[in-house]
Amino acid sequence: AGVAAAFLLSGPVRALAGNGILASEGDSWLQNRRLMQPAFHRQRLAGLVGKMAEASEAASERWDRVAARGGTVDASEEMVRLTLEIVG
């Protein structure tokens, strides 16, 4: 990681991030990357396309209903929800 990344991933942030792919370097990073790589294989991702489209359409409809009532959505919460609906 560069100087900026080293700074950002220190102290409390490092305690939360641990030594995973975001915070690791060198051999540790390579080992973490190899562990994650099968999850991003082309065939595996292709299998998620339908789920992504369905979940995105449902989220869009949900947000439209909220907007029609004059409400707001918490984008962070909605992205977590959308992610979990896809990979959950």
Side-chain angles (χ1 to χ4, degrees), residues 25-44:
E25 298 181 76
D27 290 339
S28 177
W29 175 86
L30 185 58
Q31 180 181 3
N32 286 326
R33 182 185 168 279
R34 286 181 176 154
L35 285 171
M36 290 177 49
Q37 189 169 349
F40 295 95
H41 188 274
R42 179 179 294 131
Q43 289 174 330
R44 177 166 255 168

Side-chain angles (χ1 to χ4, degrees), residues 51 54-56 58-59 62 80-88:
K51 285 177 130 179
E54 289 174 19
S56 297
R62 188 171 56 251
V80 169
R81 182 177 180 175
L82 183 59
T83 300
L84 291 175
E85 286 178 13
I86 295 167
V87 299

Side-chain angles (χ1 to χ4, degrees):
V3 174
F7 173 76
L8 291 173
L9 293 172
S10 63
V13 175
R14 179 61 161 236
L16 291 172
N19 291 321
I21 192 87
L22 294 176
S24 61
E25 298 181 76
D27 290 339
S28 177
W29 175 86
L30 185 58
Q31 180 181 3
N32 286 326
R33 182 185 168 279
R34 286 181 176 154
L35 285 171
M36 290 177 49
Q37 189 169 349
F40 295 95
H41 188 274
R42 179 179 294 131
Q43 289 174 330
R44 177 166 255 168
L45 291 177
L48 291 175
V49 170
K51 285 177 130 179
M52 289 178 190
E54 289 174 19
S56 297
E57 182 66 28
S60 177
E61 291 170 0
R62 188 171 56 251
W63 301 340
D64 284 345
R65 288 190 301 271
V66 171
R69 294 190 314 261
T72 60
V73 296
D74 180 328
S76 178
E77 182 179 305
E78 287 295 319
M79 290 298 105
V80 169
R81 182 177 180 175
L82 183 59
T83 300
L84 291 175
E85 286 178 13
I86 295 167
V87 299

